[in-house]
PDB file of all heavy atoms in Angstrom:
ATOM      1  N   GLN K   1       0.821  -1.211   0.000  1.00  0.00           N
ATOM      2  CA  GLN K   1       0.000   0.000   0.000  1.00  0.00           C
ATOM      3  C   GLN K   1       0.857   1.264   0.000  1.00  0.00           C
ATOM      4  O   GLN K   1       0.557   2.225  -0.723  1.00  0.00           O
ATOM      5  CB  GLN K   1      -0.929   0.009   1.210  1.00  0.00           C
ATOM      6  CG  GLN K   1      -1.825   1.237   1.283  1.00  0.00           C
ATOM      7  CD  GLN K   1      -2.417   1.440   2.667  1.00  0.00           C
ATOM      8  OE1 GLN K   1      -1.734   1.258   3.681  1.00  0.00           O
ATOM      9  NE2 GLN K   1      -3.692   1.796   2.719  1.00  0.00           N
ATOM     10  N   VAL K   2       1.927   1.253   0.804  1.00  0.00           N
ATOM     11  CA  VAL K   2       2.746   2.456   0.951  1.00  0.00           C
ATOM     12  C   VAL K   2       3.860   2.546  -0.084  1.00  0.00           C
ATOM     13  O   VAL K   2       4.629   3.504  -0.112  1.00  0.00           O
ATOM     14  CB  VAL K   2       3.345   2.550   2.375  1.00  0.00           C
ATOM     15  CG1 VAL K   2       2.240   2.571   3.420  1.00  0.00           C
ATOM     16  CG2 VAL K   2       4.323   1.408   2.647  1.00  0.00           C
ATOM     17  N   GLY K   3       3.971   1.539  -0.945  1.00  0.00           N
ATOM     18  CA  GLY K   3       5.001   1.559  -1.973  1.00  0.00           C
ATOM     19  C   GLY K   3       6.396   1.296  -1.438  1.00  0.00           C
ATOM     20  O   GLY K   3       7.359   1.958  -1.861  1.00  0.00           O
ATOM     21  N   TYR K   4       6.512   0.345  -0.529  1.00  0.00           N
ATOM     22  CA  TYR K   4       7.817  -0.020   0.033  1.00  0.00           C
ATOM     23  C   TYR K   4       8.719  -0.529  -1.092  1.00  0.00           C
ATOM     24  O   TYR K   4       8.428  -1.548  -1.731  1.00  0.00           O
ATOM     25  CB  TYR K   4       7.619  -1.081   1.105  1.00  0.00           C
ATOM     26  CG  TYR K   4       8.879  -1.521   1.818  1.00  0.00           C
ATOM     27  CD1 TYR K   4       9.636  -0.638   2.570  1.00  0.00           C
ATOM     28  CD2 TYR K   4       9.294  -2.845   1.747  1.00  0.00           C
ATOM     29  CE1 TYR K   4      10.774  -1.042   3.234  1.00  0.00           C
ATOM     30  CE2 TYR K   4      10.431  -3.269   2.415  1.00  0.00           C
ATOM     31  CZ  TYR K   4      11.175  -2.370   3.156  1.00  0.00           C
ATOM     32  OH  TYR K   4      12.312  -2.789   3.814  1.00  0.00           O
ATOM     33  N   ALA K   5       9.808   0.179  -1.357  1.00  0.00           N
ATOM     34  CA  ALA K   5      10.647  -0.063  -2.539  1.00  0.00           C
ATOM     35  C   ALA K   5      11.187  -1.493  -2.652  1.00  0.00           C
ATOM     36  O   ALA K   5      11.123  -2.086  -3.739  1.00  0.00           O
ATOM     37  CB  ALA K   5      11.790   0.947  -2.569  1.00  0.00           C
ATOM     38  N   PRO K   6      11.765  -2.079  -1.585  1.00  0.00           N
ATOM     39  CA  PRO K   6      12.285  -3.445  -1.719  1.00  0.00           C
ATOM     40  C   PRO K   6      11.218  -4.462  -2.129  1.00  0.00           C
ATOM     41  O   PRO K   6      11.508  -5.397  -2.883  1.00  0.00           O
ATOM     42  CB  PRO K   6      12.827  -3.739  -0.319  1.00  0.00           C
ATOM     43  CG  PRO K   6      13.221  -2.403   0.212  1.00  0.00           C
ATOM     44  CD  PRO K   6      12.142  -1.479  -0.283  1.00  0.00           C
ATOM     45  N   LEU K   7       9.975  -4.285  -1.654  1.00  0.00           N
ATOM     46  CA  LEU K   7       8.906  -5.191  -2.059  1.00  0.00           C
ATOM     47  C   LEU K   7       8.617  -5.039  -3.549  1.00  0.00           C
ATOM     48  O   LEU K   7       8.428  -6.034  -4.262  1.00  0.00           O
ATOM     49  CB  LEU K   7       7.627  -4.919  -1.260  1.00  0.00           C
ATOM     50  CG  LEU K   7       6.415  -5.781  -1.659  1.00  0.00           C
ATOM     51  CD1 LEU K   7       6.667  -7.245  -1.324  1.00  0.00           C
ATOM     52  CD2 LEU K   7       5.147  -5.290  -0.949  1.00  0.00           C
ATOM     53  N   GLY K   8       8.587  -3.810  -4.016  1.00  0.00           N
ATOM     54  CA  GLY K   8       8.351  -3.571  -5.433  1.00  0.00           C
ATOM     55  C   GLY K   8       9.445  -4.174  -6.292  1.00  0.00           C
ATOM     56  O   GLY K   8       9.178  -4.770  -7.342  1.00  0.00           O
ATOM     57  N   LEU K   9      10.694  -4.052  -5.832  1.00  0.00           N
ATOM     58  CA  LEU K   9      11.823  -4.614  -6.570  1.00  0.00           C
ATOM     59  C   LEU K   9      11.747  -6.130  -6.587  1.00  0.00           C
ATOM     60  O   LEU K   9      11.969  -6.765  -7.622  1.00  0.00           O
ATOM     61  CB  LEU K   9      13.137  -4.152  -5.935  1.00  0.00           C
ATOM     62  CG  LEU K   9      14.422  -4.672  -6.579  1.00  0.00           C
ATOM     63  CD1 LEU K   9      14.475  -4.288  -8.062  1.00  0.00           C
ATOM     64  CD2 LEU K   9      15.641  -4.117  -5.840  1.00  0.00           C
ATOM     65  N   ARG K  10      11.403  -6.721  -5.440  1.00  0.00           N
ATOM     66  CA  ARG K  10      11.287  -8.180  -5.372  1.00  0.00           C
ATOM     67  C   ARG K  10      10.175  -8.679  -6.287  1.00  0.00           C
ATOM     68  O   ARG K  10      10.349  -9.668  -7.009  1.00  0.00           O
ATOM     69  CB  ARG K  10      11.026  -8.644  -3.939  1.00  0.00           C
ATOM     70  CG  ARG K  10      11.073 -10.164  -3.798  1.00  0.00           C
ATOM     71  CD  ARG K  10      10.859 -10.621  -2.382  1.00  0.00           C
ATOM     72  NE  ARG K  10       9.475 -10.480  -1.942  1.00  0.00           N
ATOM     73  CZ  ARG K  10       8.991 -11.026  -0.827  1.00  0.00           C
ATOM     74  NH1 ARG K  10       9.781 -11.730  -0.040  1.00  0.00           N
ATOM     75  NH2 ARG K  10       7.729 -10.841  -0.483  1.00  0.00           N
ATOM     76  N   SER K  11       9.050  -7.993  -6.280  1.00  0.00           N
ATOM     77  CA  SER K  11       7.930  -8.390  -7.143  1.00  0.00           C
ATOM     78  C   SER K  11       8.316  -8.297  -8.616  1.00  0.00           C
ATOM     79  O   SER K  11       7.944  -9.153  -9.425  1.00  0.00           O
ATOM     80  CB  SER K  11       6.712  -7.508  -6.862  1.00  0.00           C
ATOM     81  OG  SER K  11       6.265  -7.661  -5.524  1.00  0.00           O
ATOM     82  N   ALA K  12       9.065  -7.260  -8.960  1.00  0.00           N
ATOM     83  CA  ALA K  12       9.495  -7.080 -10.351  1.00  0.00           C
ATOM     84  C   ALA K  12      10.455  -8.180 -10.784  1.00  0.00           C
ATOM     85  O   ALA K  12      10.508  -8.547 -11.967  1.00  0.00           O
ATOM     86  CB  ALA K  12      10.140  -5.713 -10.520  1.00  0.00           C
ATOM     87  N   LEU K  13      11.206  -8.708  -9.833  1.00  0.00           N
ATOM     88  CA  LEU K  13      12.195  -9.738 -10.149  1.00  0.00           C
ATOM     89  C   LEU K  13      11.604 -11.142 -10.220  1.00  0.00           C
ATOM     90  O   LEU K  13      12.278 -12.062 -10.683  1.00  0.00           O
ATOM     91  CB  LEU K  13      13.315  -9.730  -9.104  1.00  0.00           C
ATOM     92  CG  LEU K  13      14.406  -8.675  -9.249  1.00  0.00           C
ATOM     93  CD1 LEU K  13      15.360  -8.746  -8.060  1.00  0.00           C
ATOM     94  CD2 LEU K  13      15.174  -8.886 -10.555  1.00  0.00           C
ATOM     95  N   VAL K  14      10.368 -11.315  -9.762  1.00  0.00           N
ATOM     96  CA  VAL K  14       9.779 -12.661  -9.706  1.00  0.00           C
ATOM     97  C   VAL K  14       9.796 -13.371 -11.061  1.00  0.00           C
ATOM     98  O   VAL K  14      10.265 -14.514 -11.154  1.00  0.00           O
ATOM     99  CB  VAL K  14       8.348 -12.608  -9.133  1.00  0.00           C
ATOM    100  CG1 VAL K  14       7.633 -13.939  -9.359  1.00  0.00           C
ATOM    101  CG2 VAL K  14       8.391 -12.301  -7.642  1.00  0.00           C
ATOM    102  N   PRO K  15       9.297 -12.759 -12.157  1.00  0.00           N
ATOM    103  CA  PRO K  15       9.315 -13.471 -13.445  1.00  0.00           C
ATOM    104  C   PRO K  15      10.724 -13.856 -13.884  1.00  0.00           C
ATOM    105  O   PRO K  15      10.948 -14.976 -14.356  1.00  0.00           O
ATOM    106  CB  PRO K  15       8.681 -12.465 -14.412  1.00  0.00           C
ATOM    107  CG  PRO K  15       7.884 -11.555 -13.548  1.00  0.00           C
ATOM    108  CD  PRO K  15       8.665 -11.434 -12.274  1.00  0.00           C
ATOM    109  N   LEU K  16      11.674 -12.926 -13.748  1.00  0.00           N
ATOM    110  CA  LEU K  16      13.047 -13.196 -14.151  1.00  0.00           C
ATOM    111  C   LEU K  16      13.669 -14.270 -13.266  1.00  0.00           C
ATOM    112  O   LEU K  16      14.410 -15.140 -13.745  1.00  0.00           O
ATOM    113  CB  LEU K  16      13.879 -11.912 -14.083  1.00  0.00           C
ATOM    114  CG  LEU K  16      15.357 -12.043 -14.490  1.00  0.00           C
ATOM    115  CD1 LEU K  16      15.463 -12.560 -15.917  1.00  0.00           C
ATOM    116  CD2 LEU K  16      16.059 -10.696 -14.356  1.00  0.00           C
ATOM    117  N   THR K  17      13.352 -14.223 -11.963  1.00  0.00           N
ATOM    118  CA  THR K  17      13.889 -15.218 -11.038  1.00  0.00           C
ATOM    119  C   THR K  17      13.351 -16.609 -11.354  1.00  0.00           C
ATOM    120  O   THR K  17      14.100 -17.602 -11.323  1.00  0.00           O
ATOM    121  CB  THR K  17      13.536 -14.849  -9.585  1.00  0.00           C
ATOM    122  OG1 THR K  17      14.080 -13.563  -9.283  1.00  0.00           O
ATOM    123  CG2 THR K  17      14.108 -15.869  -8.611  1.00  0.00           C
ATOM    124  N   ASN K  18      12.069 -16.700 -11.649  1.00  0.00           N
ATOM    125  CA  ASN K  18      11.482 -17.996 -12.013  1.00  0.00           C
ATOM    126  C   ASN K  18      12.145 -18.563 -13.262  1.00  0.00           C
ATOM    127  O   ASN K  18      12.455 -19.763 -13.324  1.00  0.00           O
ATOM    128  CB  ASN K  18       9.977 -17.850 -12.242  1.00  0.00           C
ATOM    129  CG  ASN K  18       9.223 -17.575 -10.964  1.00  0.00           C
ATOM    130  OD1 ASN K  18       9.697 -17.873  -9.872  1.00  0.00           O
ATOM    131  ND2 ASN K  18       8.037 -16.992 -11.079  1.00  0.00           N
ATOM    132  N   LEU K  19      12.362 -17.699 -14.247  1.00  0.00           N
ATOM    133  CA  LEU K  19      13.001 -18.138 -15.488  1.00  0.00           C
ATOM    134  C   LEU K  19      14.448 -18.560 -15.248  1.00  0.00           C
ATOM    135  O   LEU K  19      14.891 -19.612 -15.736  1.00  0.00           O
ATOM    136  CB  LEU K  19      12.949 -17.015 -16.526  1.00  0.00           C
ATOM    137  CG  LEU K  19      13.597 -17.317 -17.882  1.00  0.00           C
ATOM    138  CD1 LEU K  19      12.857 -18.461 -18.569  1.00  0.00           C
ATOM    139  CD2 LEU K  19      13.597 -16.066 -18.758  1.00  0.00           C
ATOM    140  N   SER K  20      15.180 -17.747 -14.489  1.00  0.00           N
ATOM    141  CA  SER K  20      16.592 -18.049 -14.229  1.00  0.00           C
ATOM    142  C   SER K  20      16.752 -19.335 -13.420  1.00  0.00           C
ATOM    143  O   SER K  20      17.684 -20.112 -13.642  1.00  0.00           O
ATOM    144  CB  SER K  20      17.256 -16.882 -13.494  1.00  0.00           C
ATOM    145  OG  SER K  20      16.693 -16.699 -12.207  1.00  0.00           O
ATOM    146  N   SER K  21      15.819 -19.583 -12.494  1.00  0.00           N
ATOM    147  CA  SER K  21      15.886 -20.799 -11.682  1.00  0.00           C
ATOM    148  C   SER K  21      15.688 -22.045 -12.538  1.00  0.00           C
ATOM    149  O   SER K  21      16.260 -23.106 -12.264  1.00  0.00           O
ATOM    150  CB  SER K  21      14.818 -20.758 -10.578  1.00  0.00           C
ATOM    151  OG  SER K  21      15.057 -19.682  -9.695  1.00  0.00           O
ATOM    152  N   GLN K  22      14.886 -21.928 -13.586  1.00  0.00           N
ATOM    153  CA  GLN K  22      14.624 -23.052 -14.478  1.00  0.00           C
ATOM    154  C   GLN K  22      15.774 -23.301 -15.451  1.00  0.00           C
ATOM    155  O   GLN K  22      16.024 -24.440 -15.847  1.00  0.00           O
ATOM    156  CB  GLN K  22      13.332 -22.816 -15.259  1.00  0.00           C
ATOM    157  CG  GLN K  22      12.081 -22.785 -14.399  1.00  0.00           C
ATOM    158  CD  GLN K  22      10.847 -22.405 -15.195  1.00  0.00           C
ATOM    159  OE1 GLN K  22      10.925 -22.126 -16.395  1.00  0.00           O
ATOM    160  NE2 GLN K  22       9.695 -22.352 -14.535  1.00  0.00           N
ATOM    161  N   LEU K  23      16.472 -22.237 -15.833  1.00  0.00           N
ATOM    162  CA  LEU K  23      17.480 -22.355 -16.879  1.00  0.00           C
ATOM    163  C   LEU K  23      18.912 -22.484 -16.382  1.00  0.00           C
ATOM    164  O   LEU K  23      19.769 -23.041 -17.092  1.00  0.00           O
ATOM    165  CB  LEU K  23      17.394 -21.140 -17.814  1.00  0.00           C
ATOM    166  CG  LEU K  23      16.118 -20.993 -18.643  1.00  0.00           C
ATOM    167  CD1 LEU K  23      16.207 -19.731 -19.498  1.00  0.00           C
ATOM    168  CD2 LEU K  23      15.896 -22.205 -19.514  1.00  0.00           C
ATOM    169  N   ALA K  24      19.201 -21.982 -15.188  1.00  0.00           N
ATOM    170  CA  ALA K  24      20.587 -21.907 -14.721  1.00  0.00           C
ATOM    171  C   ALA K  24      21.300 -23.264 -14.723  1.00  0.00           C
ATOM    172  O   ALA K  24      22.348 -23.427 -15.359  1.00  0.00           O
ATOM    173  CB  ALA K  24      20.635 -21.280 -13.327  1.00  0.00           C
ATOM    174  N   MET K  25      20.747 -24.241 -14.011  1.00  0.00           N
ATOM    175  CA  MET K  25      21.420 -25.538 -13.902  1.00  0.00           C
ATOM    176  C   MET K  25      21.467 -26.298 -15.227  1.00  0.00           C
ATOM    177  O   MET K  25      22.510 -26.885 -15.558  1.00  0.00           O
ATOM    178  CB  MET K  25      20.753 -26.379 -12.812  1.00  0.00           C
ATOM    179  CG  MET K  25      20.855 -25.768 -11.419  1.00  0.00           C
ATOM    180  SD  MET K  25      22.519 -25.150 -10.991  1.00  0.00           S
ATOM    181  CE  MET K  25      23.451 -26.675 -10.967  1.00  0.00           C
ATOM    182  N   PRO K  26      20.384 -26.300 -16.030  1.00  0.00           N
ATOM    183  CA  PRO K  26      20.490 -26.958 -17.341  1.00  0.00           C
ATOM    184  C   PRO K  26      21.601 -26.374 -18.206  1.00  0.00           C
ATOM    185  O   PRO K  26      22.329 -27.117 -18.883  1.00  0.00           O
ATOM    186  CB  PRO K  26      19.103 -26.706 -17.966  1.00  0.00           C
ATOM    187  CG  PRO K  26      18.191 -26.638 -16.801  1.00  0.00           C
ATOM    188  CD  PRO K  26      18.985 -25.912 -15.741  1.00  0.00           C
ATOM    189  N   LEU K  27      21.741 -25.050 -18.203  1.00  0.00           N
ATOM    190  CA  LEU K  27      22.813 -24.433 -18.992  1.00  0.00           C
ATOM    191  C   LEU K  27      24.185 -24.860 -18.482  1.00  0.00           C
ATOM    192  O   LEU K  27      25.099 -25.120 -19.276  1.00  0.00           O
ATOM    193  CB  LEU K  27      22.686 -22.908 -18.941  1.00  0.00           C
ATOM    194  CG  LEU K  27      21.541 -22.288 -19.745  1.00  0.00           C
ATOM    195  CD1 LEU K  27      21.526 -20.772 -19.575  1.00  0.00           C
ATOM    196  CD2 LEU K  27      21.665 -22.647 -21.219  1.00  0.00           C
ATOM    197  N   LEU K  28      24.322 -24.936 -17.155  1.00  0.00           N
ATOM    198  CA  LEU K  28      25.598 -25.370 -16.580  1.00  0.00           C
ATOM    199  C   LEU K  28      25.930 -26.802 -17.005  1.00  0.00           C
ATOM    200  O   LEU K  28      27.058 -27.095 -17.425  1.00  0.00           O
ATOM    201  CB  LEU K  28      25.546 -25.273 -15.056  1.00  0.00           C
ATOM    202  CG  LEU K  28      25.640 -23.862 -14.458  1.00  0.00           C
ATOM    203  CD1 LEU K  28      25.274 -23.882 -12.983  1.00  0.00           C
ATOM    204  CD2 LEU K  28      27.047 -23.311 -14.640  1.00  0.00           C
ATOM    205  N   PHE K  29      24.958 -27.691 -16.893  1.00  0.00           N
ATOM    206  CA  PHE K  29      25.199 -29.097 -17.229  1.00  0.00           C
ATOM    207  C   PHE K  29      25.492 -29.268 -18.720  1.00  0.00           C
ATOM    208  O   PHE K  29      26.394 -30.022 -19.097  1.00  0.00           O
ATOM    209  CB  PHE K  29      23.996 -29.947 -16.827  1.00  0.00           C
ATOM    210  CG  PHE K  29      23.877 -30.156 -15.345  1.00  0.00           C
ATOM    211  CD1 PHE K  29      22.675 -29.932 -14.695  1.00  0.00           C
ATOM    212  CD2 PHE K  29      24.968 -30.567 -14.583  1.00  0.00           C
ATOM    213  CE1 PHE K  29      22.556 -30.114 -13.324  1.00  0.00           C
ATOM    214  CE2 PHE K  29      24.866 -30.754 -13.224  1.00  0.00           C
ATOM    215  CZ  PHE K  29      23.655 -30.529 -12.585  1.00  0.00           C
ATOM    216  N   ILE K  30      24.735 -28.575 -19.564  1.00  0.00           N
ATOM    217  CA  ILE K  30      24.975 -28.663 -21.007  1.00  0.00           C
ATOM    218  C   ILE K  30      26.363 -28.122 -21.342  1.00  0.00           C
ATOM    219  O   ILE K  30      27.090 -28.689 -22.172  1.00  0.00           O
ATOM    220  CB  ILE K  30      23.888 -27.900 -21.784  1.00  0.00           C
ATOM    221  CG1 ILE K  30      22.530 -28.585 -21.613  1.00  0.00           C
ATOM    222  CG2 ILE K  30      24.250 -27.822 -23.270  1.00  0.00           C
ATOM    223  CD1 ILE K  30      21.372 -27.806 -22.198  1.00  0.00           C
ATOM    224  N   GLY K  31      26.735 -27.021 -20.697  1.00  0.00           N
ATOM    225  CA  GLY K  31      28.053 -26.439 -20.928  1.00  0.00           C
ATOM    226  C   GLY K  31      29.175 -27.390 -20.555  1.00  0.00           C
ATOM    227  O   GLY K  31      30.182 -27.506 -21.263  1.00  0.00           O
ATOM    228  N   ILE K  32      29.008 -28.106 -19.434  1.00  0.00           N
ATOM    229  CA  ILE K  32      30.021 -29.067 -18.993  1.00  0.00           C
ATOM    230  C   ILE K  32      30.156 -30.201 -20.008  1.00  0.00           C
ATOM    231  O   ILE K  32      31.255 -30.644 -20.344  1.00  0.00           O
ATOM    232  CB  ILE K  32      29.652 -29.631 -17.604  1.00  0.00           C
ATOM    233  CG1 ILE K  32      29.790 -28.539 -16.543  1.00  0.00           C
ATOM    234  CG2 ILE K  32      30.545 -30.818 -17.251  1.00  0.00           C
ATOM    235  CD1 ILE K  32      29.265 -28.942 -15.183  1.00  0.00           C
ATOM    236  N   ILE K  33      28.999 -30.670 -20.506  1.00  0.00           N
ATOM    237  CA  ILE K  33      29.006 -31.769 -21.473  1.00  0.00           C
ATOM    238  C   ILE K  33      29.678 -31.351 -22.786  1.00  0.00           C
ATOM    239  O   ILE K  33      30.488 -32.092 -23.359  1.00  0.00           O
ATOM    240  CB  ILE K  33      27.565 -32.249 -21.742  1.00  0.00           C
ATOM    241  CG1 ILE K  33      26.993 -32.899 -20.489  1.00  0.00           C
ATOM    242  CG2 ILE K  33      27.538 -33.247 -22.907  1.00  0.00           C
ATOM    243  CD1 ILE K  33      25.526 -33.246 -20.593  1.00  0.00           C
ATOM    244  N   ILE K  34      29.350 -30.155 -23.247  1.00  0.00           N
ATOM    245  CA  ILE K  34      29.905 -29.686 -24.515  1.00  0.00           C
ATOM    246  C   ILE K  34      31.405 -29.437 -24.401  1.00  0.00           C
ATOM    247  O   ILE K  34      32.188 -29.756 -25.299  1.00  0.00           O
ATOM    248  CB  ILE K  34      29.185 -28.399 -24.969  1.00  0.00           C
ATOM    249  CG1 ILE K  34      27.728 -28.716 -25.334  1.00  0.00           C
ATOM    250  CG2 ILE K  34      29.897 -27.774 -26.166  1.00  0.00           C
ATOM    251  CD1 ILE K  34      26.918 -27.495 -25.719  1.00  0.00           C
ATOM    252  N   GLY K  35      31.820 -28.847 -23.273  1.00  0.00           N
ATOM    253  CA  GLY K  35      33.235 -28.549 -23.093  1.00  0.00           C
ATOM    254  C   GLY K  35      33.427 -27.220 -22.395  1.00  0.00           C
ATOM    255  O   GLY K  35      32.657 -26.285 -22.618  1.00  0.00           O
ATOM    256  N   THR K  36      34.476 -27.155 -21.568  1.00  0.00           N
ATOM    257  CA  THR K  36      34.665 -25.969 -20.736  1.00  0.00           C
ATOM    258  C   THR K  36      35.894 -25.144 -21.118  1.00  0.00           C
ATOM    259  O   THR K  36      36.324 -24.287 -20.362  1.00  0.00           O
ATOM    260  CB  THR K  36      34.799 -26.378 -19.256  1.00  0.00           C
ATOM    261  OG1 THR K  36      35.969 -27.212 -19.095  1.00  0.00           O
ATOM    262  CG2 THR K  36      33.566 -27.126 -18.782  1.00  0.00           C
ATOM    263  N   THR K  37      36.431 -25.404 -22.280  1.00  0.00           N
ATOM    264  CA  THR K  37      37.581 -24.620 -22.716  1.00  0.00           C
ATOM    265  C   THR K  37      37.185 -23.160 -22.873  1.00  0.00           C
ATOM    266  O   THR K  37      36.148 -22.841 -23.464  1.00  0.00           O
ATOM    267  CB  THR K  37      38.113 -25.140 -24.063  1.00  0.00           C
ATOM    268  OG1 THR K  37      38.466 -26.515 -23.916  1.00  0.00           O
ATOM    269  CG2 THR K  37      39.342 -24.342 -24.497  1.00  0.00           C
TER     270      THR K  37
END
């Protein structure tokens, strides 16, 4: 109601956080398999 900034920032990050949580580990594992040079 009062526009508490950290809450607004956290809410704005929810979609990106959900996406990053789904993609982070798969990208790491695929990268390891392909090669880490």
